[in-house]
Amino acid sequence: MVPAWLCLLCLFIPQAFPGAQPAEVYVDVPENYGGNFPLYLTKLPLPRKETEGQIVLSGDSGVAAEGPFAVDPQSGFLLVTRALDREEQAEYQLQVTLETEDGRVLWGPQHVLVHVKDENDQASGHQATATVDVSIVENTWVPLDPVHLAENLQVPYPHHIAQVHWSGGDVHYHLESQPLGPFDVDKEGKIYVTRELDREAQAEYLLRVRAQNTRGEDYAAEPLELPVVVMDENDNMPVCPPRGPAISIPELSPPGTKVAKLSVEDADAPGSPNSHIVYRLLSPEPEEGAEGKAFELDSTLGSVTLGDAPLQAGQNILLQVLVIDLGGAEGGLSSTCEIAVTITDINDHAPEFTTSQIEPLSLPEDTEPGTLVTTLMATDADLEPAFRLMDFAIEAGDVEGNFGLDWEPVSGRVQLRLLKNLSYEAAPSHKLVVVVRSVAEPVGPDPGPGATVTVTVLVQRVVPPPQLDQESYEASVPVSTPAGSLLLTIRPSDPMSNPLRFSLVNDSEGWLCIEEVSGEVHIARALQGAQPGDMYTVLVEAQDADEPTLSTSATLVIHFLKAPSAPTPTLAPEPSRHLCTPRQDRGVVVGGPRGDPDLAGGHGPYSFALGPNPTAQRDWRLRALNGSHAYLTLGLHWVEPREHVVPIVVSRHDRVWQIQVRVIVCRCNVEGQCMRKVGRMKGMPTKLSAVGILVGTLIAIGIFLILVFTHLTLARKKDLDQPVDSVPLKAAL
């Protein structure tokens, strides 16, 4: 009994040493061989199951052999491609390996020694004589009749099909197949087929048999040829063409319209019953009660056409056709072919609105142009997107062009919008007729006219609501501001408008109160709980005193500042700057306090806020630029042209300053330069004083002239009143 360890060792050795080299092969080749090439020398013991590698033939040095040798990869035979000369080289050392593409050896190396046998082909200078006995025998090397073999023949293999015979002795038979086939010949000349044949793979073979001596030399000049014909069997079923994309057939196509033609192939012999095909329609089957068929099939040609039954757009139909060979006879092979058919849409439906009448719609007369009035919906029963494109228009009721339509042709949704301002006095209502039509040209028996819908729009008279002078208000107060302090005043934008009634909404802490008529906002109680940096937002609501339903509102934001630890110092007013009114895009840059040494050192940041003056908070706006500067601008469009002193509270950490910024508000020219009034120059008279001086001078001159004329008049009158004798005589000469 063999020990178990010895059995395991026997099993282990082949696995542990898979690369054990095969025994060396020795081959004799006659020199100057005169037969046909290639000459098959010997069959190499290659592995039978190896299919992944390639056979590599090399010389004894390991390099590729460049001699006359090769290996047939199909049969594994070593062959020589030309005649060898022993005087040129007597031996060849070869090795054969089976390797992968990356050079890894799967089998081998198999060493092969090829010895070239010497022939008397060299003249020696001596002569010899010999006696040759020649016997005449009957020639049995005659051509053979063709052999007919049925494909897929179910017999034991190898199967004998013919035999050749050379009448001489010491003969070896060599068989060649064109193309290479499963044929073999034994030493007695019997020819065999070694496995089943397939006519579809190869219908005919030509076998050549050579009779050779032990040196591989042909006895006959020409080999015997044996044609082998493979007979057809019905072993191939019809092959359907690949199922392609769906075939499109327009709806309402007439009966007889060609749908498709099947091209079925059968690999059996053409023209034989094995390849005679007939067609049968399996599906779709006619519905119960339906008149006619949807499709017709020609059983001989395989053509599919439309039948009498109507088809609807959007239908996806799968036709199944049974194809049978042997002309449909019993025993024939069959296959089922499929044809996909899609019934495509045509534009045979007109679009329609989902409703023909819209309830009256009300629009205030102050409605902004562009406002959406209503949305209309239209549908189209067609399936093709191109046929569902719609066009809308206002057909009647909009002579002035107050309304317009917006739509996307593919959506079916159209928006009716207001294009112009409405007027209740001009037209209290509008009755619009909107029509929808298909963009594509309608086809079919009766597509119908465009559909319409009527929209009635009622115009409402509008009384404008009150408006405040600002959209929102802001104020900054220290947390120590006492109760009763005035924060700011809420005013209407138009002083001539109806009187308003003011109230506060969501004053959750109760810190504020507002005068109902004047709109003044005061601190209602001490700001307990308020922290510096917090914001407190309330809503100011203003109602029209005559129309309480008309109201407006604005937000009021309170910014809490830190309470000063000491009386807030008031710094000297800043140098005057000027701004233009009406307001332009200009402002004044305000810096931190000049006396603070941290400002020069770049320390900060500073917080800027308008002082608690309500007028300043109404007329001015202040926003921070960076940690050391702020930007002061006008808060209203128009501010009275004069010099204004704007209080600004500046805080940093626990220190608080109040800066008085002088700003001259004036009218400006187109260059933005301030146009100031010219004042009285020092030492020069004014217009009034000049006029007074002139008038006084004229009055003085008038009085002087009056006195002169009075004096002259009185003197003349005195001379007239004296007697004649009282006139003194003239002195005699």
Side-chain angles (χ1 to χ4, degrees):
M1 184 174 181
V2 180
W5 64 268
L6 182 59
C7 295
L8 293 175
L9 180 61
C10 295
L11 293 173
F12 173 75
I13 289 175
Q15 297 178 1
F17 303 93
Q21 297 183 357
E24 186 178 34
V25 177
Y26 182 86
V27 181
D28 282 334
V29 180
E31 71 173 338
N32 301 322
Y33 174 69
N36 294 329
F37 290 94
L39 175 61
Y40 287 79
L41 303 180
T42 184
K43 183 174 178 61
L44 298 175
L46 293 173
R48 296 184 178 181
K49 300 298 182 182
E50 289 290 345
T51 57
E52 60 177 323
Q54 56 184 355
I55 299 173
V56 177
L57 177 65
S58 59
D60 53 1
S61 60
V63 298
E66 298 180 353
F69 300 96
V71 177
D72 185 358
Q74 299 294 332
S75 62
F77 270 88
L78 176 67
L79 53 89
V80 63
T81 58
R82 62 175 173 81
L84 303 179
D85 189 355
R86 185 180 184 282
E87 283 69 28
E88 178 181 343
Q89 184 170 347
E91 289 183 350
Y92 293 86
Q93 293 284 346
L94 307 176
Q95 66 177 18
V96 182
T97 56
L98 187 64
E99 300 178 1
T100 60
E101 293 181 356
D102 56 359
R104 184 168 58 91
V105 177
L106 301 176
W107 175 87
Q110 170 67 63
H111 295 280
V112 180
L113 176 61
V114 180
H115 176 71
V116 182
K117 296 172 60 176
D118 187 27
E119 297 289 335
N120 188 19
D121 57 345
Q122 301 292 330
S124 61
H126 299 279
Q127 293 185 353
T129 60
T131 301
V132 178
D133 294 330
V134 178
S135 60
I136 305 300
V137 297
E138 181 183 2
N139 183 15
T140 59
W141 195 249
V142 294
L144 302 177
D145 294 332
V147 176
H148 293 77
L149 292 177
E151 64 174 334
N152 305 318
L153 184 62
Q154 301 298 318
V155 295
Y157 290 92
H159 175 61
H160 177 247
I161 58 174
Q163 185 173 5
V164 295
H165 178 69
W166 179 260
S167 56
D170 191 17
V171 61
H172 298 277
Y173 298 101
H174 177 70
L175 183 143
E176 299 174 357
S177 173
Q178 295 294 333
L180 187 64
F183 302 96
D184 198 4
V185 61
D186 62 10
K187 61 182 180 180
E188 297 179 357
K190 294 182 179 180
I191 301 175
Y192 297 90
V193 58
T194 59
R195 59 178 173 82
E196 296 180 7
L197 300 179
D198 185 1
R199 192 203 67 85
E200 287 69 38
Q202 183 64 40
E204 294 182 356
Y205 297 88
L206 180 60
L207 306 183
R208 292 187 176 91
V209 183
R210 301 178 184 275
Q212 300 175 342
N213 58 21
T214 56
R215 295 188 299 275
E217 298 172 345
D218 288 350
Y219 287 118
E222 295 295 335
L224 286 184
E225 294 185 350
L226 174 63
V228 177
V229 179
V230 184
M231 305 298 294
D232 185 40
E233 294 288 336
N234 189 23
D235 59 341
N236 291 280
M237 64 177 58
V239 179
C240 296
R243 178 178 168 183
I247 299 173
S248 299
I249 302 296
E251 65 173 331
L252 304 182
S253 296
T257 300
K258 182 179 178 180
V259 177
K261 184 179 186 303
L262 283 174
S263 297
V264 177
E265 297 181 355
D266 194 311
D268 291 322
S272 68
N274 296 334
S275 60
H276 180 203
I277 300 207
V278 295
Y279 303 85
R280 296 176 186 172
L281 183 62
L282 296 180
S283 66
E285 298 180 353
E287 298 181 0
E288 295 183 4
E291 297 181 359
K293 298 180 179 179
F295 298 93
E296 298 288 346
L297 174 65
D298 189 315
S299 61
T300 303
L301 302 177
S303 299
V304 181
T305 57
L306 289 182
D308 298 331
L311 297 173
Q312 300 297 325
Q315 282 185 273
N316 294 315
I317 304 171
L318 184 62
L319 299 179
Q320 292 185 330
V321 179
L322 181 66
V323 291
I324 312 172
D325 60 12
L326 287 182
E330 184 178 357
L333 303 178
S334 64
S335 298
T336 301
C337 303
E338 294 181 344
I339 304 174
V341 178
T342 298
I343 308 302
T344 58
D345 188 31
I346 62 173
N347 192 23
D348 58 339
H349 295 89
E352 297 180 352
F353 283 108
T354 55
T355 181
S356 61
Q357 190 78 23
I358 300 295
E359 294 293 330
L361 304 172
S362 297
L363 285 182
E365 60 180 346
D366 63 346
T367 302
E368 291 290 334
T371 301
L372 176 64
V373 179
T374 186
T375 300
L376 307 174
M377 287 295 299
T379 59
D380 194 315
D382 292 314
L383 301 180
E384 185 67 29
F387 300 150
R388 298 171 64 182
L389 300 180
M390 305 178 194
D391 190 18
F392 298 87
I394 300 178
E395 195 173 51
D398 188 29
V399 179
E400 300 296 331
N402 294 325
F403 300 89
L405 300 175
D406 290 335
W407 73 93
E408 295 180 1
V410 72
S411 68
R413 175 177 295 145
V414 59
Q415 295 178 338
L416 177 64
R417 293 188 178 274
L418 182 65
L419 299 183
K420 298 181 180 179
N421 292 321
L422 298 175
S423 174
Y424 179 84
E425 290 75 13
S429 65
H430 300 268
K431 191 173 184 179
L432 310 175
V433 178
V434 182
V435 64
V436 58
R437 297 182 178 89
S438 179
V439 174
E441 186 68 24
V443 296
D446 185 16
T452 61
V453 61
T454 302
V455 181
T456 302
V457 180
L458 305 178
V459 182
Q460 293 179 341
R461 191 189 302 275
V462 175
V463 178
Q467 293 185 354
L468 302 179
D469 59 345
Q470 295 180 208
E471 295 182 357
S472 61
Y473 299 86
E474 293 187 12
S476 299
V477 296
V479 295
S480 60
T481 303
S485 299
L486 176 65
L487 294 182
L488 74 166
T489 302
I490 310 296
R491 295 184 177 90
S493 60
D494 184 7
M496 304 303 296
S497 62
N498 292 340
L500 302 179
R501 295 291 182 265
F502 299 94
S503 61
L504 295 178
V505 181
N506 71 337
D507 183 14
S508 59
E509 299 293 338
W511 285 334
L512 307 176
C513 63
I514 188 170
E515 293 291 337
E516 183 181 11
V517 177
S518 65
E520 293 182 351
V521 181
H522 296 265
I523 299 295
R525 65 181 183 87
L527 303 176
Q528 296 180 355
Q531 299 295 327
D534 290 348
M535 291 190 304
Y536 185 62
T537 304
V538 297
L539 188 67
V540 179
E541 187 176 78
Q543 292 182 337
D544 193 311
D546 299 333
E547 293 287 342
T549 57
L550 301 178
S551 64
T552 187
S553 62
T555 57
L556 171 59
V557 180
I558 307 298
H559 299 272
F560 295 115
L561 303 177
K562 186 175 182 179
S565 57
T568 304
T570 302
L571 302 181
E574 293 285 322
S576 298
R577 269 77 53 103
H578 80 273
L579 292 176
C580 297
T581 187
R583 181 175 59 194
Q584 297 182 1
D585 295 333
R586 296 183 181 179
V588 174
V589 177
V590 179
R594 297 181 179 179
D596 186 7
D598 291 340
L599 180 63
H603 298 278
Y606 289 91
S607 298
F608 297 85
L610 291 171
N613 189 328
T615 303
Q617 294 185 359
R618 180 197 65 186
D619 295 344
W620 302 91
R621 293 290 179 268
L622 185 68
R623 61 183 177 87
L625 286 178
N626 48 43
S628 59
H629 292 81
Y631 195 62
L632 179 66
T633 58
L634 294 179
L636 301 177
H637 182 70
W638 171 266
V639 176
E640 180 183 359
R642 62 179 177 84
E643 184 179 55
H644 296 259
V645 179
V646 183
I648 297 178
V649 177
V650 183
S651 61
R652 178 178 178 272
H653 302 313
D654 57 347
R655 302 183 61 186
V656 179
W657 297 267
Q658 182 168 322
I659 300 176
Q660 304 292 335
V661 179
R662 296 176 57 197
V663 181
I664 296 176
V665 179
C666 58
R667 292 179 176 271
C668 298
N669 57 17
V670 293
E671 287 83 11
Q673 300 175 350
C674 185
M675 298 186 297
R676 302 182 182 180
K677 295 182 179 179
V678 179
R680 182 174 66 88
M681 298 180 65
K682 197 170 185 178
M684 298 296 292
T686 63
K687 292 181 180 180
L688 184 61
S689 63
V691 172
I693 293 172
L694 180 61
V695 172
T697 302
L698 292 176
I699 292 175
I701 294 174
I703 293 174
F704 178 75
L705 291 176
I706 290 172
L707 291 175
V708 171
F709 282 117
T710 302
H711 176 73
L712 292 176
T713 301
L714 293 176
R716 184 176 180 82
K717 185 176 180 181
K718 183 178 179 182
D719 291 341
L720 293 175
D721 290 343
Q722 282 186 346
V724 175
D725 53 0
S726 64
V727 175
L729 294 176
K730 296 182 180 180
L733 297 174

